Amino acid sequence: MSTSVLSTVVDYVAHGESVPKRPSWAVLHSNAPTLDGSSLSVVHPTEEPAEEIELRESIANTPAPEDDPEFRLPSMGSLAMVIATNALLQFGFFVTVSSAALYAEYLGGSALFSGLTIGIPTVFSGLALIPLTKYDGGRYSFPLNVAYLALILGSILHAVAYKAHFLYLILLGRIVCGLAFTGFMYIKRYCSDPRIIGIRRRTTLASWLVLGQAFGFSVGPFVGGLLYKVGFSNEIFNGYTSPGWVTAVVTLFFMVGSVYLFKDVPKPTRPRSTSNSVEVGTSAPQEEIGIHQLTLPQWGVILSMCWSSMSCFFILGSWEANIPIFTAVAFNYTPYAAGNFIALGGIATVPFLLVSVRYSPRFQDRTTLALGSAIGLAGLVLALILLATERVVFGSFYVCWVLVALGFNLASTCTLSLLSKQLPGAWNGRTSLAIQYSNYCGRTTGALLGGAGVQMGMKNYIGVQLGVVGVGVLLHLTFWKQLKAKTG
């Protein structure tokens, strides 16, 4: 629609001027004279004004918001199922955190072994992704069903380790759960798939995924700690095994629900090309490019986003693994109390993440990333100061945890959404894999660091995290201009 035409229409309405009316059919087909000022004239049929034609055609050609490819969304049932499954997998990852150290100790393991059981699933999830992507056919039903089945089986193995009194059965159960956590990559890929998700919907959906992430690391440890406190004194269902049984049953309901609610994307019939915009200094559509055609700034954006993703989950994973161990030493916390502590921190972030869902689409992804990193960095610096001055109490440590949880959850919102806007749509599978492997790397190494935090010294533990964030800050500053992308 041209600006001049729109201005003309608004001016007519604003100033109360009547728009010239077309002569009626009767007038057009009669020879009766018509007064025109002070003289008589005969009105003859006239052509429709060009401006009216242009205005009408422009309105007709403007797509409705739901038809605009940039605002495309799949069916509500499918979208709800994907977002809920993300929350379920997050819950399954964290529900064992509260009692992991004591469960491992009961079966003869150490605190470091408990950190290994928390971090090891991501290693095997990463190993399983490559063969799984070769058989998924570019679709989602098969990998989601693999995730459901693996989470059920892995949770059951984790639970029966108590009856078998076999330490490594815990590890085996978590390894099988790792196959389930391949679902994280497919959920991220679904929420940035150009076939079903418009470019201006991706940040919003990423915010919903991070909200599910907050649910997982809040409700998961809380439920795990609550089940440990209740106890259920029998060899099958007790404080150590109940998290596994509960997760298995809930996952079974999800698997049945997905059959009725989730509608997969159509089978691809031929290799697809895309015209998604690549916003590195331009918003013009570009054709698919090969890996060797990427420019240095594009490689910088990829490196920056992968490092950001890794660092967010490295720090979150290390705190989640370390809190039960550190609070047991510093505050004499039980697994139930430690689970509540983790959950309270997560719950405190939820209102802010809800605000992020509402308002983050209005801001650049790079701005959200910088804000989240700054908040998380403030929490780390405060924790280091408290440790150095030996003033760690419940209130101060809780503030540190809230800042870390909020900041790095918020920062993790936009890594994939920003990268998907920078590269062609055909690269969605590659970018999803790159970000997910970065997450896995952060989760695994973070859990190991958290398990060893007390042994290596808490100040050294925080210092490692500050170094990781510092590298990310340098990357952001270096490639700040190249990180510009569409909002939404």
Side-chain angles (χ1 to χ4, degrees), residues 212-291:
Q213 184 174 299
F215 168 86
F217 81 74
S218 302
V219 178
F222 172 75
V223 171
L226 180 62
L227 291 171
Y228 173 83
K229 183 178 177 64
V230 173
F232 306 106
S233 55
N234 65 77
E235 292 188 344
I236 303 300
F237 195 89
N238 54 52
Y240 295 132
T241 66
S242 51
W245 293 118
V246 169
T247 304
V249 171
V250 172
T251 306
L252 181 61
F253 280 104
F254 267 74
M255 189 173 182
V256 174
S258 69
V259 174
Y260 297 97
L261 294 177
F262 184 73
K263 182 180 179 182
D264 209 341
V265 298
K267 291 183 179 179
T269 56
R270 61 182 183 274
R272 293 174 292 108
S273 61
T274 184
S275 59
N276 273 28
S277 58
V278 182
E279 289 195 296
V280 182
T282 179
S283 59
Q286 294 186 12
E287 296 297 326
E288 182 181 352
I289 57 177
I291 192 170

Side-chain angles (χ1 to χ4, degrees), residues 442-486:
R443 283 282 190 208
T444 304
T445 55
L448 291 174
L449 177 69
V454 173
Q455 296 178 4
M456 68 185 291
M458 289 296 291
K459 286 183 283 188
N460 295 331
Y461 159 78
I462 296 295
V464 171
Q465 297 173 58
L466 288 172
V468 170
V469 176
V471 174
V473 170
L474 290 176
L475 288 171
H476 297 165
L477 292 176
T478 303
F479 299 106
W480 180 256
K481 290 184 179 179
Q482 287 74 33
L483 292 176
K484 183 179 180 182
K486 284 186 177 181

Side-chain angles (χ1 to χ4, degrees), residues 91 94 210-223 226 316 320 323 336-355 394 398-399 401-407 409:
F91 175 86
F94 291 110
V210 170
L211 193 61
Q213 184 174 299
F215 168 86
F217 81 74
S218 302
V219 178
F222 172 75
V223 171
L226 180 62
L316 290 171
E320 289 149 0
I323 284 174
Y336 174 67
N340 284 345
F341 185 90
I342 296 172
L344 285 173
I347 290 169
T349 68
V350 170
F352 298 99
L353 294 176
L354 283 171
V355 171
F394 167 82
Y398 176 73
V399 170
W401 167 229
V402 171
L403 290 174
V404 167
L406 173 60
N409 271 298

